[in-house]
Amino acid sequence: MEIPKRRLGKTGVDVTILGLGGEGVLRTSGYEREAYDLINRAIDLGINYFESARAYSGSESYYGRSLKERRKEIFLTSKTHARNKKGAQLHLEETLRNMKTDHLDLWQVHDVRTEEEIDEIFGPNGAIEAFVEAKEKGLVRFIGVTGHHDPLITKRCIQRFAFDTVLIPVNPAEPAYKSYLTELIPTAKKKGMGIVGMKVFFRGFADKLPWFESMEPFFRFALSQPITTAVIGCDDVEQLEQNVALAGSFVLMTEKETQELISNVSSSARDLMYYKP
């Protein structure tokens, strides 16, 4: 079953609507065999968008050990949480070394939360200078930003710099509080950015809802929004294969289905949005 693809904004790259996220077993250390099996099974199943971060335990090293000659088959991403130029440069060097690659397809400013961080990132000797230089040198192809605390902070970032992509939470709890769906997506869409969804399954907490039956409605909800791909972490190959099945059989949600799911989640929305203060 083939996974559909969508264009990643203005990058000109088509990526699968399901990406392998950096959570789950990839955000560990000491699980080399499990990570190897997961990454290579994901490629075998047709996924071409793969995510990591400098902050994700052994994740980058797992990719370095697992990809080998398959690096050219995928769109490889990582992130830095450094806010100054020097720190970001050091992170990129470490990332490329860990991943055993000479470039990233996408490098992202990770998890921007405050105005103070914005001032540092975009100020003199800020991290964004390292991003621009890395792109000029061919060390990264595209530049992105991520956020999940406050959509207005993330919006300020994409208004300050011509990012290629933005990674944000996309799920039916969002409309209840500081919604990325309404506060950020329209601006990103207008700018032609590639929009990547995360927190689609609330890190698995969706199954705690009393009426929960499967992850399918949450996946369908996310991909029925104007996003390119949803990155979902997996604990094992079985979870991966379940997600691939959802992607392969994906059909758009109707407006009625969308509103019903938002309504059903609303009473638990703030608990499900564990990622917001």
Side-chain angles (χ1 to χ4, degrees):
M1 188 178 294
E2 190 169 348
I3 303 173
K5 291 180 179 177
R6 294 179 181 176
R7 182 62 52 92
L8 187 64
K10 293 178 179 177
T11 67
V13 178
D14 292 332
V15 299
T16 47
I17 62 171
L18 172 65
L20 183 62
E23 298 283 351
V25 73
L26 294 188
R27 195 168 184 171
T28 63
S29 296
Y31 287 84
E32 281 77 9
R33 169 50 57 183
E34 292 85 350
Y36 180 93
D37 290 345
L38 184 71
I39 290 167
N40 280 280
R41 182 61 176 150
I43 300 174
D44 291 342
L45 290 169
I47 291 174
N48 71 349
Y49 188 100
F50 289 78
E51 185 201 56
S52 186
R54 187 76 291 281
Y56 289 174
S57 303
S59 177
E60 292 178 339
S61 296
Y62 286 153
Y63 279 107
R65 294 188 188 100
S66 303
L67 290 174
K68 297 183 170 57
E69 71 281 357
R70 307 194 78 174
R71 166 68 182 94
K72 62 184 180 297
E73 297 178 42
I74 70 169
F75 188 90
L76 185 62
T77 79
S78 198
K79 318 181 190 83
T80 174
H81 52 280
R83 299 314 188 210
N84 60 67
K85 181 179 181 179
K86 185 62 176 175
Q89 288 173 327
L90 291 172
H91 273 183
L92 181 59
E93 289 173 10
E94 194 171 357
T95 292
L96 295 176
R97 186 166 56 248
N98 287 339
M99 288 183 148
K100 294 182 169 59
T101 184
D102 62 358
H103 77 282
L104 292 176
D105 294 296
L106 172 65
W107 191 31
Q108 300 160 94
V109 182
H110 194 182
D111 189 15
V112 185
R113 302 186 181 196
T114 67
E115 292 282 356
E116 290 74 23
E117 286 181 303
I118 290 175
D119 290 341
E120 186 175 4
I121 291 164
F122 297 100
N125 295 309
I128 204 66
E129 292 184 13
F131 278 77
V132 172
E133 287 186 12
K135 187 171 183 179
E136 290 172 350
K137 292 177 180 176
L139 299 176
V140 302
R141 294 173 63 199
F142 306 108
I143 298 173
V145 65
T146 87
H148 53 66
H149 264 223
D150 184 342
L152 297 182
I153 291 293
T154 312
K155 187 175 181 179
R156 290 258 287 113
C157 290
I158 69 173
Q159 289 170 334
R160 288 284 296 266
F161 183 82
F163 288 101
D164 297 299
T165 67
V166 62
L167 171 66
I168 58 171
V170 181
N171 58 60
E174 277 291 318
Y177 177 69
K178 292 186 176 180
S179 175
Y180 272 88
L181 306 185
T182 55
E183 297 292 344
L184 189 283
I185 284 182
T187 302
K189 189 177 175 186
K190 190 174 181 180
K191 289 177 172 291
M193 299 176 68
I195 305 171
V196 182
M198 62 174 164
K199 318 294 185 193
V200 173
F201 296 162
F202 310 102
R203 198 184 281 169
F205 295 149
D207 66 6
K208 302 295 189 289
L209 292 163
W211 45 267
F212 175 85
E213 292 182 359
S214 81
M215 292 296 186
E216 182 182 32
F218 301 94
F219 184 85
R220 286 183 62 211
F221 177 92
L223 269 299
S224 296
Q225 308 306 310
I227 71 172
T228 302
T229 184
V231 291
I232 301 175
C234 300
D235 293 328
D236 50 42
V237 170
E238 182 181 5
Q239 280 186 2
L240 170 70
E241 292 176 344
Q242 291 169 354
N243 293 338
V244 169
L246 294 180
S249 61
F250 169 73
V251 291
L252 285 168
M253 264 194 166
T254 65
E255 181 61 22
K256 182 171 182 286
E257 288 175 314
T258 298
Q259 294 307 319
E260 283 179 354
L261 186 58
I262 290 171
S263 176
N264 289 341
V265 163
S266 61
S267 62
S268 304
R270 283 300 286 123
D271 291 333
L272 290 168
M273 286 189 285
Y274 64 89
Y275 48 86
K276 287 183 183 175

